[in-house]
Amino acid sequence: MRKLFVTLIYTILVRPWLTFFIGVSFHNIKHLRDADQFIIVANHNSHFDTVSIMAALPSKLRKNTCAVASGDYFGKSSLTVSLMKLFFNAILITKKVKPGELSNLEVLDQRIKEGKSLIMFPEGSRGNPGTISSFKKGIAKLLKENPSVPFIPVYLDGFGRVLPKNKILIVPLICKVRFGSPLFATTNDIKTTLEEVKKEILNLKKKNERDRNQFEFY
Amino acid sequence: MDIFGYYIPIELFFILCIIFVVLIICSSTFGIISLMNKSDSVSELVVRTNSWWKMAIGITIVATAPAIIGTIVLAYVVFVALREMLSIIPLRTADRTVLVASYFAIPIQFYLAYKNYYYLFQIFIPLVMFISVSVILVLTGETNRIGRSMAIIPTTLILTVYMPSHMVLLFHVSVSGFTVGAGGLIIFLIMITAFNDIFQFTWGKLLGKRKILPKISPNKTWVGFIGGVLTSGVLGGALSFLTPLDYIKCFYMGLSLSIIGFIGDSIISAVKRDLKIKDTDDLIPGHGGAMDRLDSIVLTTPTFYYLLIFFIEN
C-alpha cells in the first residue's frame, strides 16, 4: 500500500511536474533497462538532483533504490526524516558516528549486500553550478567491496540554476538528467577507481555540451 | 457544418482536411522510402514529419476549440518558449527573482488578451513589466552587470510573450459577413509562416547562390528570400477564403508576413550564433526546441494582427 502510494505520487505528480513545469528531460534511460542492482553516481548541485533521479527510474527499480543523504542536514526534524525515508528510501549518514554503531561505509555495504541499489553524490555537498569538485573515497571503497555491482554515472545539468544551495525560490529552467551505461570498476585501487568514476561523469558532461553546442549552419 | 454536433465552418474543415491529407501522403511516402533506404537523411525526414503531426494536431485544437482552450494552449506554448530562452541566455544567480516575475507575466498577459482589455494588454509588458523588472533587479541589490540583465530580460519578454500573445486577440476580431471566425485567421497566419520557411529554404536550395546574411545564416540566399516572398504572397492570395479580406489584400499580407518571418528567423539565428548553439533545445524531435519553430511566428503574429485591423478598417 505504501509502495503503491509512492509510485502513484511519482507517476501522477512528480514526473509530470518535473517535465511539463520545471523543464527536466531524461536522456538515455534505456541504459537502466537491463540493470538490476547498481550504484548511481552523480554530480550534486541542488535538492532537485535526488528527486529527478528517483523520478527517472522505472518504478520497479525505484522501490529498490536508496538515496544516501546527510543525516546532519536532513536529520534535524522527524518529519523530514520520515518524508526522506518514504519518498527516497533515504539512508541518512552522519559525519560523527556514535560509538558502538556501524560506520557509514559498513551501513551502505550492508544495504548493498541486502540487494539494494544506491544513489550517491560523491562530492558530498552541493557545489557551484557547472563545476564538479573532488570526490570522496566512499564510493570507490564500496565498489571495491562489491565487485559484482556496477556503477551508473549520471550527469545532471542545469539543476543548480533551478534551485541552488541556500535558496528557496524554484525557477523553471531547462535541465537534463543524462544516464551513462552501467560500468564495473576495473581495478582494486581506490584512487584509480575514483578517477575512473569522475572521468565517466565528465565524459557525460562533455557529451551534454556537444549536444547543445553542435555548431552547424543551416 | 456539424461534426458530432460540434460546429466547424466549412472553409476551416476544408483547409484542415488538406493539411491532414498532405501529412498522410508525406508520412506514407517517407515510411515506404525508409523501408528501402535506411540512411540518416530519410529517418530525419520521418522524425520531422512525426513532429509535424503533433504540431498540426495542436494547431487544430487552437483553431477549432473554444477560445478559452486555445488561450490556455497558446499560453503554455509561450511558457515553454520563454523557459527555453531564459535557459540559453547566460544570466546571473541574482536574476532568479526576476525570472519568476517574468513567468507570472504570461498568465496576466494572456488573461488580458482573452478578456480583450486592449489598453492594458498593450502596456502590460512594454511598460509595467519593463519597470517591474528594473525595480526588482534594483531591490535585489546585486549591481555587477545589472544593466545587461535590465536590457536582456524585457527584450526576451517582448519577443517571446508580448508578440505571440497577439494571437489571442484574433479571437476578438469580428467583421460583419465573416463566418469563418478566429480559427481561419489563426490557420492562415500559421500556414503562411510555416510554408514561408519551407519556400525560402526550397528556393534557396534549388537556385540560390548569393548569400543574403553570410555571417548569420549562410543558407539564406537572395533567390531564396525573393522566391519565398513571392510564393508566400501567392499562397496568401489562395488562402484568402480564410480571412475577411479579398485576395489582393491577402497577397500583400503574404508578402509582408514572409518578409517579417525572415527577419524573425534571422534574429533568433543571430542570437544562437552569439551563444554558440545550434538549437535552443531538443524538445521537438527533428526540429530542435520550441523557439526554433516559433522564431518566425513571434514576429509575424503582431504584424498579421495590426495589418488585418488596418485592412479591415480601410
Side-chain angles (χ1 to χ4, degrees):
Chain A
M1 195 60 205
R2 212 196 66 155
K3 278 177 182 170
L4 186 71
F5 169 73
V6 172
T7 309
L8 274 180
I9 291 279
Y10 271 109
T11 39
I12 311 177
L13 285 177
V14 179
R15 234 188 120 118
W17 181 65
L18 285 177
T19 43
F20 295 115
F21 184 70
I22 301 292
V24 183
S25 57
F26 306 103
H27 296 262
N28 293 335
I29 308 181
K30 59 175 188 282
H31 289 317
L32 290 168
R33 207 178 291 151
D34 307 322
D36 180 31
Q37 195 189 6
F38 48 79
I39 302 176
I40 285 179
V41 194
N43 59 325
H44 200 19
N45 292 122
S46 163
H47 285 320
F48 266 71
D49 294 351
T50 325
V51 187
S52 308
I53 293 176
M54 272 302 206
L57 296 177
S59 57
K60 194 183 73 190
L61 294 175
R62 194 186 298 130
K63 285 173 200 157
N64 214 22
T65 307
C66 309
V68 183
S70 157
D72 299 321
Y73 188 92
F74 291 104
K76 282 172 196 157
S77 79
S78 58
L79 181 70
T80 36
V81 171
S82 45
L83 282 178
M84 291 288 285
K85 292 227 161 111
L86 178 62
F87 288 108
F88 308 125
N89 307 320
I91 306 169
L92 297 177
I93 55 173
T94 42
K95 266 197 187 131
K96 283 178 193 152
V97 182
K98 286 175 200 149
E101 283 185 8
L102 290 175
S103 76
N104 287 333
L105 210 58
E106 283 164 347
V107 171
L108 297 181
D109 194 48
Q110 204 182 15
R111 287 302 186 91
I112 293 177
K113 297 262 156 50
E114 283 170 16
K116 299 272 186 210
S117 302
L118 298 183
I119 297 176
M120 290 183 80
F121 301 106
E123 284 173 280
S125 171
R126 287 164 293 157
N128 292 325
T131 56
I132 296 179
S133 46
S134 62
F135 280 12
K136 303 206 164 144
K137 289 197 191 84
I139 171 74
K141 286 178 187 161
L142 281 177
L143 287 171
K144 187 188 167 188
E145 292 287 317
N146 305 281
S148 61
V149 178
F151 71 92
I152 298 181
V154 173
Y155 180 66
L156 301 159
D157 176 52
F159 290 92
R161 299 202 298 164
V162 172
L163 182 66
K165 201 174 180 175
N166 304 328
K167 293 278 194 300
I168 46 165
L169 200 64
I170 297 169
V171 184
L173 287 169
I174 289 172
C175 331
K176 293 190 161 64
V177 182
R178 188 176 288 276
F179 286 89
S181 48
L183 293 165
F184 292 95
T186 45
T187 57
N188 267 334
D189 184 42
I190 284 173
K191 229 178 183 176
T192 327
T193 316
L194 213 55
E195 273 163 23
E196 257 173 46
V197 173
K198 191 166 182 176
K199 208 183 88 194
E200 288 301 325
I201 295 183
L202 286 172
N203 277 345
L204 287 177
K205 185 186 178 189
K206 254 186 233 156
K207 210 173 157 197
N208 200 45
E209 272 155 19
R210 196 167 56 233
D211 268 15
R212 257 199 310 178
N213 296 349
Q214 208 174 35
F215 203 64
E216 193 184 289
F217 291 111
Y218 77 106
Chain B
M1 62 182 286
D2 285 306
I3 298 171
F4 306 121
Y6 190 78
Y7 175 75
I8 291 180
I10 186 80
E11 293 92 341
L12 204 55
F13 182 73
F14 172 67
I15 198 76
L16 289 174
C17 282
I18 291 183
I19 292 174
F20 283 104
V21 165
V22 169
L23 277 176
I24 290 168
I25 293 170
C26 283
S27 274
S28 43
T29 324
F30 296 146
I32 292 164
I33 295 173
S34 73
L35 283 181
M36 295 180 287
N37 180 352
K38 284 201 167 52
S39 73
D40 278 354
S41 57
V42 179
S43 58
E44 166 83 13
L45 275 175
V46 174
V47 171
R48 269 183 178 237
T49 320
N50 289 344
S51 299
W52 272 119
W53 268 101
K54 286 169 200 158
M55 286 187 260
I57 290 167
I59 293 163
T60 311
I61 291 170
V62 173
T64 55
I68 179 74
I69 294 174
T71 310
I72 291 171
V73 172
L74 288 173
Y76 183 70
V77 170
V78 164
F79 167 71
V80 171
L82 178 67
R83 189 175 67 189
E84 218 170 82
M85 282 305 279
L86 295 178
S87 303
I88 59 170
I89 300 166
L91 291 167
R92 313 167 304 159
T93 322
D95 295 334
R96 295 173 73 257
T97 330
V98 154
L99 298 191
V100 173
S102 317
Y103 286 121
F104 275 109
I106 298 176
I108 298 173
Q109 176 77 0
F110 276 81
Y111 176 75
L112 295 175
Y114 176 68
K115 284 286 181 184
N116 204 14
Y117 297 144
Y118 193 68
Y119 279 108
L120 282 174
F121 170 87
Q122 287 298 334
I123 64 161
F124 178 65
I125 284 176
L127 204 67
V128 179
M129 279 315 286
F130 183 82
I131 297 169
S132 312
V133 164
S134 304
V135 166
I136 297 170
L137 280 172
V138 168
L139 289 178
T140 319
E142 174 65 54
T143 50
N144 189 24
R145 284 153 79 81
I146 194 171
R148 195 173 162 279
S149 301
M150 275 182 184
I152 232 169
I153 296 168
T155 314
T156 314
L157 274 176
I158 294 230
L159 199 65
T160 51
V161 183
Y162 175 71
M163 302 261 189
S165 66
H166 282 81
M167 208 180 279
V168 178
L169 289 185
L170 293 176
F171 287 116
H172 301 292
V173 173
S174 61
V175 183
S176 58
F178 176 56
T179 52
V180 185
L185 299 174
I186 289 170
I187 298 265
F188 180 89
L189 166 63
I190 293 175
M191 269 186 87
I192 296 284
T193 315
F195 276 98
N196 171 48
D197 287 354
I198 298 168
F199 291 148
Q200 296 201 356
F201 178 81
T202 318
W203 280 110
K205 274 272 164 218
L206 290 178
L207 301 166
K209 274 204 185 82
R210 273 191 57 188
K211 293 181 173 44
I212 184 164
L213 291 167
K215 277 190 177 165
I216 288 164
S217 224
N219 273 359
K220 291 199 173 78
T221 57
W222 276 104
V223 176
F225 174 60
I226 294 164
V229 169
L230 291 176
T231 329
S232 300
V234 173
L235 180 69
L239 291 177
S240 64
F241 63 90
L242 291 172
T243 66
L245 310 174
D246 58 24
Y247 62 92
I248 295 175
K249 280 175 177 169
C250 278
F251 175 74
Y252 291 139
M253 184 74 95
L255 296 186
S256 348
L257 291 189
S258 176
I259 295 168
I260 297 290
F262 173 83
I263 294 170
D265 201 345
S266 309
I267 291 174
I268 301 293
S269 288
V271 172
K272 286 193 283 188
R273 296 293 157 261
D274 177 24
L275 298 168
K276 308 260 186 306
I277 51 175
K278 177 174 161 274
D279 294 335
T280 49
D281 192 22
D282 44 14
L283 185 75
I284 316 170
H287 294 259
M291 214 44 211
D292 292 309
R293 265 306 88 210
L294 295 175
D295 50 5
S296 28
I297 211 148
V298 289
L299 290 200
T300 53
T301 308
T303 314
F304 177 70
Y305 177 73
Y306 293 117
L307 264 183
L308 183 74
I309 298 294
F310 177 78
F311 279 144
I312 289 172
E313 287 174 357
N314 293 283

